[in-house]
Amino acid sequence: MELLDLSIQPIMFVLLFAYVFGPAMSGSVDAYLPVVIPGIIAQNALFAGMSTGFGLNTDITKGVFDRFRSLPIARSAPLAGRIIADTAKQAWSMLILLVVGFIIGFRIETNVLATFTAFALLLTFAVLFSWTSVYIAMKVNEPEKVQIFGFVAIFPLSFMSTAFIPNTAGIPSGLAFVMDNSPVTHLVEAMRGLLVGGPVLDHAITALIWGLAFSLVFAPLSLRAFKKRA
């Protein structure tokens, strides 16, 4: 079911944004695809990260983690294991997005190495950011509350970026500042550079710094909260 969700939702987003917003945003679907495909890939990574917390909370509430605690493994192993497993699902989701984008006209304009680097960058950021949802999963008592947090936090974070617009020209200065410095913006711009050409290094480094900051804050908090639930 999780793989089905990670397959259908990206396809729906690509088709809706490309054919509904594309002509209005960039004049045509073909012109909008280099903008929107990297943006949806980044947004989908954030939502997939929230699914990590949802799955963890479901396992905890169903008693699965009670069995893990009886095993001679590190305290962090069940949490890290879930994150790593979900990372593989994110790779699948990104592949689906690229395939669907290719079918409707998107083309990678760089090379194979840049494409694999884009995969590596996205997955690295996703792993680092996933600790945010892990911490939420440790603090709430129902999986639905993790989902609510995902919608409340991820939608503004993704839409207040350049994920679906080429730049912030014409946007009020305060909002433009937030969008220009958003971790999602830097991730998206790095992805665009790797897939269709453009600046990469500065955006990639900034995105990874943001991701590292998320993990440095929320990974220790998640482990501490996990121990308290033991």
Side-chain angles (χ1 to χ4, degrees):
M1 290 299 294
E2 289 182 20
L3 282 176
L4 187 63
D5 181 53
L6 289 172
S7 301
I8 292 178
Q9 180 175 303
I11 294 173
M12 180 182 67
F13 268 65
V14 167
L15 296 179
L16 284 175
F17 275 91
Y19 288 101
V20 176
F21 295 106
M25 294 291 293
S26 300
S28 69
V29 173
D30 289 341
Y32 190 50
L33 287 176
V35 175
V36 75
I37 294 296
I40 293 179
I41 288 173
Q43 184 196 52
N44 198 65
L46 299 181
F47 277 113
M50 284 297 110
S51 73
T52 299
F54 181 86
L56 277 173
N57 191 272
T58 300
D59 289 342
I60 291 171
T61 54
K62 288 185 176 181
V64 175
F65 273 55
D66 292 335
R67 299 180 182 180
F68 289 153
R69 293 189 186 103
S70 66
L71 299 175
I73 58 176
R75 287 287 187 181
S76 60
L79 305 183
R82 178 75 196 201
I83 291 174
I84 293 171
D86 284 350
T87 300
K89 298 173 189 175
Q90 296 212 24
W92 165 259
S93 180
M94 181 178 176
L95 181 62
I96 289 291
L97 283 167
L98 289 177
V99 169
V100 173
F102 185 84
I103 291 172
I104 64 176
F106 175 76
R107 295 294 181 268
I108 295 174
E109 299 177 13
T110 52
N111 52 53
V112 175
L113 178 61
T115 303
F116 279 107
T117 303
F119 267 89
L121 173 64
L122 181 80
L123 297 181
T124 301
F125 182 87
V127 168
L128 296 172
F129 181 77
S130 292
W131 285 105
T132 306
S133 68
V134 171
Y135 176 67
I136 300 301
M138 295 299 107
K139 299 299 289 185
V140 300
N141 56 4
E142 295 177 1
E144 289 75 15
K145 293 180 180 178
V146 181
Q147 260 187 332
I148 292 171
F149 172 80
F151 280 106
V152 171
I154 300 305
F155 264 109
L157 191 62
S158 58
F159 281 98
M160 290 177 63
S161 71
T162 59
F164 305 108
I165 57 175
N167 55 60
T168 56
I171 293 175
S173 57
L175 181 58
F177 176 82
V178 173
M179 294 174 69
D180 288 335
N181 293 279
S182 166
V184 180
T185 290
H186 289 291
L187 178 62
V188 169
E189 295 301 330
M191 294 291 293
R192 285 189 184 129
L194 289 166
L195 295 176
V196 297
V200 174
L201 185 60
D202 288 346
H203 290 301
I205 291 174
T206 305
L208 291 176
I209 290 173
W210 270 105
L212 186 61
F214 282 124
S215 66
L216 288 175
V217 171
F218 290 104
L221 291 175
S222 299
L223 294 174
R224 187 180 304 170
F226 181 57
K227 290 178 182 178
K228 287 182 179 180
R229 296 191 66 155

